[in-house]
Amino acid sequence: MVVVHQVPIPPPHRNAAELTRPTLTEQHQTKLDIVMKHFSGEYKLPDVEEDKQSLMEEEQYWLSRECMLRYLRAAKWDEKSAMIRLEATLKWRREFGFYDQMTNEYVEPQALTGKELVFGYDVDGRPALYMFPSRQNTDATTAEKQRHQLQFAVWVMERAFDLLPVGVENIAFMIDFSDKAKSPSLSTSRYMLSYLQNHYPERLGRGLVLNVPYLVSLFFKVMMPLVDPVTREKIKFNPEVVKDGMFTADQVITKWGGKAELPYEHEVYWPALIKMCKDRHQRRLEKWRSLGGTVGLSEWDVFQDDSDVMLVQNPEKGNVAQEAPATVDDEKKLDTAVPAAVEAAQVVA
């Protein structure tokens, strides 16, 4: 039985109190303390205009304990290297338009065909980010157009991170080259690989590629040497994700061997994704503020009280997305485009 969805599936519930937090050796804790102290207090971002040296609130929020640890692990626990990389990412995020240009409205033209979607979670709770190259609706014939494509790809990744459950730090990338899909340009792919390796260390949980045609396989042979060995181990070609135990059937679409389907309707999916991520991010930001609103706070503490849309069983309509207990303000927000979106799914025999 296939379940047809119209909106993203909410994150699985994970009780932080029932999970085991990773522990650090004394040596690693010392290195983390050094990095944390570096970015604390009256920290000023170097090599930028004087009036822009102080970190914005969103940047302090981004500099979580786990963020610092991801960079430390990627730098093989060299704290100086980790600090340099963190500062490079802080500058890149500003230059790439995170805090001014990359609005929902700005990237939306790239989203009209559903070429990149966030839907479902693997058995470890990682959000799945689907990519359908055959649905490409824009070109990258100029530097400006290429940048717009890349900004959308990064924007979608950030929305997947919004949906991370507590205790989960990375996502599953799922690329389907069926339907006569064309491989992206070598230049665009190199940029994305650079972003992932330099600015998103340890954020790739799985890299799954389906229906790899001959020309695309040659393309990957060119690209794979550019990928670090740890990342290469996470990339699988033509996997059977349900049979191999990566996903349960209800969390993955039929093209990947699952029992869920998502016929893309932009007017329904898009506002639902934005609302789900915006509400979730706002709750976390408010929690972060209540804990002191400073760099180095743990994502385990910030994420632990999330209350999300839950899937409930309706014998007449199948799985229908319903809001978790809402505030008065939340109920007012539902008067927009989202009511249509949360009529989420109908069961198809």
Side-chain angles (χ1 to χ4, degrees):
M1 198 161 56
V2 175
V3 179
V4 180
H5 298 259
Q6 293 178 296
V7 298
I9 297 176
H13 176 70
R14 290 163 62 94
N15 188 342
E18 297 175 355
L19 301 173
T20 302
R21 298 193 187 196
T23 57
L24 297 178
T25 66
E26 183 177 347
Q27 182 183 27
H28 289 168
Q29 182 63 54
T30 298
K31 291 178 178 293
L32 173 61
D33 291 341
I34 293 171
V35 175
M36 201 172 294
K37 182 179 180 180
H38 175 76
F39 288 101
S40 299
E42 298 299 319
Y43 170 77
K44 302 294 183 183
L45 186 63
D47 304 320
V48 298
E49 296 176 21
E50 186 175 354
D51 61 344
K52 297 180 180 179
Q53 289 180 343
S54 296
L55 296 182
M56 296 178 286
E57 183 182 60
E58 281 285 349
E59 292 173 318
Q60 295 179 57
Y61 171 82
W62 175 79
L63 272 170
S64 67
R65 176 181 184 273
E66 283 68 30
C67 176
M68 296 177 188
L69 285 172
R70 286 190 288 270
Y71 278 75
L72 275 166
R73 289 192 295 266
K76 304 294 189 292
W77 295 98
D78 181 333
E79 65 272 22
K80 291 183 180 179
S81 176
M83 289 186 289
I84 291 171
R85 291 184 62 173
L86 280 162
E87 289 178 340
T89 297
L90 285 166
K91 295 172 187 175
W92 172 77
R93 289 170 73 89
R94 292 183 181 186
E95 294 164 358
F96 203 61
F98 269 73
Y99 309 111
D100 47 22
Q101 188 178 36
M102 285 170 56
T103 64
N104 301 333
E105 295 76 19
Y106 177 75
V107 300
E108 185 174 5
Q110 298 283 347
L112 297 177
T113 58
K115 63 187 177 188
E116 295 190 25
L117 302 169
V118 182
F119 180 81
Y121 305 83
D122 73 6
V123 294
D124 297 310
R126 299 184 184 93
L129 195 167
Y130 288 90
M131 301 178 182
F132 301 97
S134 64
R135 299 181 185 180
Q136 181 60 265
N137 64 322
T138 61
D139 63 69
T141 53
T142 68
E144 182 180 0
K145 290 180 178 180
Q146 183 185 59
R147 176 181 168 90
H148 198 220
Q149 282 188 352
L150 290 165
Q151 285 175 314
F152 172 67
V154 169
W155 183 94
V156 177
M157 275 199 300
E158 291 288 330
R159 301 294 72 76
F161 298 143
D162 285 338
L163 299 181
L164 288 171
V166 63
V168 179
E169 297 188 41
N170 46 46
I171 63 179
F173 289 84
M174 306 177 71
I175 309 175
D176 181 3
F177 280 99
S178 63
D179 302 322
K180 298 181 180 180
K182 294 182 179 179
S183 61
S185 71
L186 190 61
S187 172
T188 299
S189 298
R190 281 177 172 168
Y191 274 120
M192 279 305 300
L193 280 174
S194 171
Y195 298 161
L196 285 170
Q197 293 188 114
N198 296 326
H199 305 303
Y200 291 96
E202 303 210 347
R203 287 301 211 176
L204 173 66
R206 302 184 194 274
L208 310 178
V209 188
L210 198 64
N211 298 310
V212 187
Y214 176 70
L215 290 178
V216 175
S217 68
L218 292 179
F219 170 79
F220 273 107
K221 286 182 180 179
V222 173
M223 297 305 303
M224 291 303 283
L226 303 176
V227 181
D228 68 80
V230 175
T231 300
R232 281 202 299 269
E233 286 298 313
K234 299 176 182 179
I235 298 175
K236 308 294 181 185
F237 294 94
N238 296 319
E240 297 184 61
V241 297
V242 176
K243 183 178 178 181
D244 295 342
M246 300 178 189
F247 284 80
T248 58
D250 61 312
Q251 292 289 323
V252 67
I253 64 174
T254 54
K255 278 192 173 184
W256 286 80
K259 294 185 178 180
E261 198 54 272
L262 183 68
Y264 188 70
E265 295 182 36
H266 182 74
E267 295 76 9
V268 177
Y269 176 92
W270 181 253
L273 174 68
I274 290 173
K275 175 175 170 53
M276 185 182 293
C277 294
K278 180 181 179 181
D279 289 354
R280 190 172 176 83
H281 178 75
Q282 188 59 39
R283 287 197 304 271
R284 290 177 167 181
L285 187 59
E286 290 172 359
K287 177 69 174 180
W288 174 81
R289 289 168 179 158
S290 74
L291 294 171
T294 186
V295 301
L297 291 177
S298 175
E299 293 171 5
W300 284 75
D301 297 323
V302 174
F303 294 1
Q304 68 176 340
D305 293 330
D306 279 333
S307 177
D308 292 292
V309 180
M310 303 295 290
L311 282 178
V312 298
Q313 184 65 35
N314 184 307
E316 295 181 359
K317 295 184 179 181
N319 288 328
V320 179
Q322 295 186 350
E323 286 288 345
T327 64
V328 173
D329 288 339
D330 289 333
E331 291 174 357
K332 289 179 180 177
K333 292 176 185 176
L334 293 177
D335 291 333
T336 61
V338 178
V342 292
E343 290 294 327
Q346 59 185 20
V347 176
V348 178

